[in-house]
């Protein structure tokens, strides 16, 4: 009798465990990759009008009243959206009020008139769904993208969340090939060219990625991912320069503040909040804004 009672209970526990693992994997995919179509989620772009500023979204001297604010648009992936720094302005794209676009919008010289950046967006998505949202009169456009082109979510899942050594190695090798064979550079060039075609007068600022992990790290693959991220940034920087854009390198600003440091500006993975893992926190996005301010003009 005891054996007969225990076996069904054991099977029930196994089924529950399998269901939980499947749910966790689905949650990870949704959180790290997220929706790719920014057009499905509307969010207020601009700031409340400041005292002495004319109402409306204008900028660059338009809109009556002679405002000197420049029309600004922010496109790209989760790092451009501000994912990782709650509170979020929407749940479809995880755009944050503390992401660098909103922080720049608070500056006296910029007015954020378009903010279609979205978690999970690839460069293809940026071109198809986000660039059309940029006002043709925009004077400044920021871009952080291409991480999803090289499989960011897959690498994070296989190397750091549910570690599968063979899958991790395969994911990293794929990313490294795309960097080395020029695919990354070509994709970034295509986005910059699309932005310039849409808003010919805009200064395009392309921001790179921080190295995610402080070293030495308790994560086996941290050092290799950091090396790959540096190579990714080099490819992005070269493509930006070759296509008339300005590159912002944030590696130095984040140095000593990666995952595992005493004062981390990047969130480690958390099953309690699966949207924030491996993305900057509010302090990290403030550092992004500081670096971008140096060149955006």
């Amino acid at each position: 009798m005891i054996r007969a009672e225990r076996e069904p209970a054991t099977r029930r526990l196994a089924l529950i465990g399998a269901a939980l693992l499947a749910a966790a994997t689905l949650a990870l995919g949704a959180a790290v990759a997220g929706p790719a179509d920014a057009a499905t989620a509307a969010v207020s772009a601009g700031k409340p009008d400041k005292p002495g500023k004319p109402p409306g979204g204008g900028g660059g001297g338009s809109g009556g009243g002679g405002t000197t604010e420049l029309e600004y648009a922010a496109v790209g992936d989760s790092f451009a959206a501000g994912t990782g720094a709650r509170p979020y302005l929407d749940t479809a794209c995880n755009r944050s009020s503390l992401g660098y676009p909103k922080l720049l919008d608070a500056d006296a010289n910029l007015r954020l008139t378009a903010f279609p950046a979205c978690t999970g967006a690839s460069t293809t998505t940026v071109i198809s769904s986000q660039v059309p949202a940029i006002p043709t009169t925009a004077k400044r456009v920021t871009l952080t993208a291409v991480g999803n082109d090289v499989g960011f979510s897959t690498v994070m899942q296989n190397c750091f969340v549910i570690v599968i050594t063979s899958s991790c190695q395969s994911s990293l090798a794929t990313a490294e090939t795309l960097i080395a064979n020029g695919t990354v550079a070509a994709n970034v060039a295509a986005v910059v060219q699309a932005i310039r075609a849409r808003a010919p007068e805009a200064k395009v600022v392309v921001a790179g990625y921080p190295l995610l992990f402080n070293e030495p790290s308790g994560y086996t693959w941290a050092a290799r991912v950091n090396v790959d991220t540096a190579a990714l940034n080099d490819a992005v920087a070269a493509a930006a320069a070759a296509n008339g854009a300005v590159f912002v390198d944030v590696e130095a600003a984040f140095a000593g503040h990666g995952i595992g440091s005493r004062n981390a500006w990047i969130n480690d993975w958390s099953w309690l909040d699966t949207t924030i893992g491996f993305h900057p926190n509010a302090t990290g996005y403030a550092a992004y804004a500081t670096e971008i301010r140096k060149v955006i003009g």
Side-chain angles (χ1 to χ4, degrees):
M1 289 295 295
I2 294 176
R3 181 179 179 83
E5 292 172 356
R6 284 182 177 175
E7 285 182 349
T10 301
R11 286 196 293 273
R12 285 197 297 273
L13 288 173
L15 289 171
I16 292 170
L20 288 173
L21 180 59
T25 302
L26 288 173
L28 171 66
V32 178
D37 187 359
T40 62
V43 65
S44 175
K47 58 196 162 207
D49 294 304
K50 299 177 184 177
K53 297 285 184 179
S62 63
T67 178
T68 59
E69 290 180 311
L70 301 170
E71 284 188 279
Y72 162 45
V75 300
D77 58 19
S78 53
F79 282 69
T83 303
R86 288 186 179 274
Y88 295 145
L89 299 168
D90 65 274
T91 56
C93 287
N94 294 337
R95 284 173 284 224
S96 173
S97 60
L98 299 175
Y100 73 72
K102 281 293 189 177
L103 297 179
L104 294 171
D105 179 49
D107 292 352
N109 62 320
L110 297 172
R111 178 176 293 274
L112 185 63
T113 55
F115 186 16
C118 190
T119 293
S122 65
T123 53
T124 299
T125 305
V126 173
I127 292 171
S128 64
S129 298
Q130 297 184 19
V131 170
I134 299 173
T136 57
T137 53
K139 299 299 187 291
R140 299 291 185 270
V141 178
T142 56
L143 166 70
T144 304
V146 92
N148 292 310
D149 292 31
V150 298
F152 173 74
S153 63
T154 303
V155 171
M156 294 301 108
Q157 177 175 323
N158 292 335
C159 299
F160 302 103
V161 181
I162 303 173
V163 180
I164 304 173
T165 298
S166 60
S167 297
C168 174
Q169 291 175 325
S170 176
S171 300
L172 289 172
T174 297
E176 290 159 357
T177 297
L178 293 172
I179 295 168
N181 69 11
T183 299
V184 164
N187 290 358
V188 172
V191 179
V192 173
Q193 291 167 10
I195 293 170
R196 293 174 68 84
R198 174 70 179 176
E201 297 182 6
K203 180 177 185 178
V204 182
V205 177
V206 181
Y209 298 92
L211 304 187
L212 297 181
F213 302 95
N214 202 55
E215 297 185 55
S217 172
Y219 284 118
T220 301
W221 304 101
R224 183 170 171 183
V225 168
N226 280 351
V227 169
D228 289 348
T229 302
L232 178 73
N233 286 332
D234 289 343
V236 173
N243 288 275
V246 178
F247 178 73
V248 175
D249 189 343
V250 298
E251 289 181 31
F254 276 79
H257 298 289
I259 294 171
S261 65
R262 290 186 177 181
N263 183 19
W265 294 355
I266 301 171
N267 299 298
D268 202 347
W269 177 255
S270 171
W271 289 105
L272 299 178
D273 188 348
T274 57
T275 70
I276 66 173
F278 314 116
H279 289 82
N281 56 28
T283 305
Y285 284 117
Y288 254 106
T290 296
E291 297 305 306
I292 293 171
R293 285 188 184 103
K294 294 177 182 179
V295 302
I296 198 167

